[in-house]
Amino acid sequence: MPVVMLLDSIVRIEFVWYWLDENGKWIEYGQKDSEHCAASISSSELETTFLANHRGVVFFQAGVQLYELNFQEMIQRNVYYQTQRRVCRWPRLVFFGGRHKSEKSCRFESSFPFHSFPSTWDQSALPDIGYKLVEVSDSSEEYHEIKGLFDKTMEGYIIHRLQRIQNPSLWQVFQWQREQMKKLNRGQEIDEWLLFHGTSTSHLYDICRQNFDWRICGTHGTLYGKGCVAQTTYAAALTFEHWK
């Protein structure tokens, strides 16, 4: 049954752990499968252990077999036979609020396919949790594109530093929301704009980690009325000095 989520929905990201079987199928830890015994450890238990130690090793059973999962290598090994399976940790969106057409509140979950990230991103700086700020070279095409947009509305200033926010989880959320908007627009492209948001440096890291909070939009003033960017996962963090 299709579910239409409204703008008053609250989005939470949960991480789910999967292993890849011999047929190329991703199986969630702790879940039953017709061809394999369920792991004695659940996805949520793996997530708790991972957050405590990103470089740790976990042992568990599936049927009579004993396995180890190496977080650093993201590999599952059979302790006796030494066979290996790939492991992944992937975000799942959980929506609270919003309504069906019946006006009842709902909880809706969506797991992502394996989306690629923008070609401009530094693939070696993709954290499992949170984000990384990556310096953008002033000789790059990306830098000049952002600078050109910035100069159109901020005359008399120079850019002191430009950084790219690489937050894989929020990027996946953005992709999902973009696809939902396309569906609501009957498959047509959506009107997408690159905008700048000025804020105190005390708020910068929370925005990079959690995105904007639409519930407090307008708290510190607005130019075009109350509003909020739905998702901003590919943005520039700017510091600048007045040129005059």
Side-chain angles (χ1 to χ4, degrees):
M1 177 181 178
V3 178
V4 178
M5 301 307 299
L6 303 183
L7 292 179
D8 59 351
S9 301
I10 298 176
V11 181
R12 189 181 74 215
I13 300 176
E14 296 177 348
F15 285 93
V16 185
W17 288 79
Y18 303 89
W19 64 277
L20 186 65
D21 76 359
E22 63 278 7
N23 299 315
K25 177 183 177 182
W26 289 100
I27 301 174
E28 181 178 339
Y29 279 91
Q31 297 297 312
K32 293 182 179 180
D33 180 76
S34 59
E35 300 179 7
H36 305 89
C37 296
S40 60
I41 192 169
S42 68
S43 175
S44 59
E45 290 171 330
L46 279 174
E47 179 66 10
T48 300
T49 307
F50 174 76
L51 293 176
N53 182 5
H54 291 190
R55 299 176 179 271
V57 175
V58 176
F59 291 90
F60 64 93
Q61 283 186 290
V64 297
Q65 301 297 325
L66 178 64
Y67 297 90
E68 66 172 11
L69 193 162
N70 189 305
F71 290 140
Q72 193 169 4
E73 298 177 358
M74 293 301 280
I75 291 292
Q76 169 188 296
R77 290 187 182 86
N78 185 301
V79 174
Y80 181 78
Y81 294 106
Q82 289 299 300
T83 53
Q84 299 184 7
R85 301 293 182 194
R86 286 176 56 194
V87 173
C88 77
R89 173 181 181 265
W90 208 248
R92 172 189 290 164
L93 292 183
V94 180
F95 296 86
F96 293 91
R99 287 158 291 181
H100 294 282
K101 292 183 178 179
S102 63
E103 300 297 319
K104 293 181 180 179
S105 62
C106 65
R107 180 181 188 272
F108 174 66
E109 296 185 4
S110 173
S111 294
F112 289 110
F114 289 81
H115 290 296
S116 59
F117 297 106
S119 59
T120 53
W121 279 27
D122 181 352
Q123 301 299 311
S124 65
L126 295 176
D128 290 320
I129 301 175
Y131 70 95
K132 284 190 178 180
L133 289 177
V134 179
E135 203 80 15
V136 178
S137 171
D138 59 8
S139 62
S140 68
E141 181 179 343
E142 177 186 15
Y143 182 96
H144 290 289
E145 179 184 356
I146 300 300
K147 183 179 184 299
L149 293 171
F150 183 75
D151 288 342
K152 286 182 178 180
T153 55
M154 292 294 289
E155 296 181 358
Y157 289 80
I158 61 171
I159 296 176
H160 179 63
R161 185 173 61 172
L162 182 63
Q163 294 173 299
R164 183 190 316 114
I165 303 167
Q166 295 194 176
N167 187 322
S169 299
L170 290 184
W171 173 256
Q172 299 289 359
V173 174
F174 175 64
Q175 295 305 304
W176 189 91
Q177 290 189 334
R178 174 193 279 168
E179 290 304 312
Q180 297 309 299
M181 292 180 70
K182 284 184 180 180
K183 290 178 182 178
L184 292 174
N185 201 29
R186 298 181 179 179
Q188 298 182 18
E189 290 297 321
I190 57 177
D191 193 11
E192 191 172 342
W193 292 69
L194 292 175
L195 304 173
F196 291 95
H197 175 79
T199 189
S200 167
T201 53
S202 63
H203 302 146
L204 174 63
Y205 300 107
D206 285 335
I207 292 174
C208 292
R209 185 174 66 254
Q210 301 174 0
N211 206 359
F212 293 114
D213 188 340
W214 58 267
R215 293 169 298 180
I216 59 173
C217 66
T219 302
H220 303 291
T222 55
L223 182 60
Y224 298 107
K226 290 187 176 182
C228 181
V229 178
Q231 289 295 337
T232 176
T233 57
Y234 180 64
L238 300 168
T239 59
F240 46 88
E241 299 172 352
H242 200 268
W243 185 247
K244 297 178 181 179

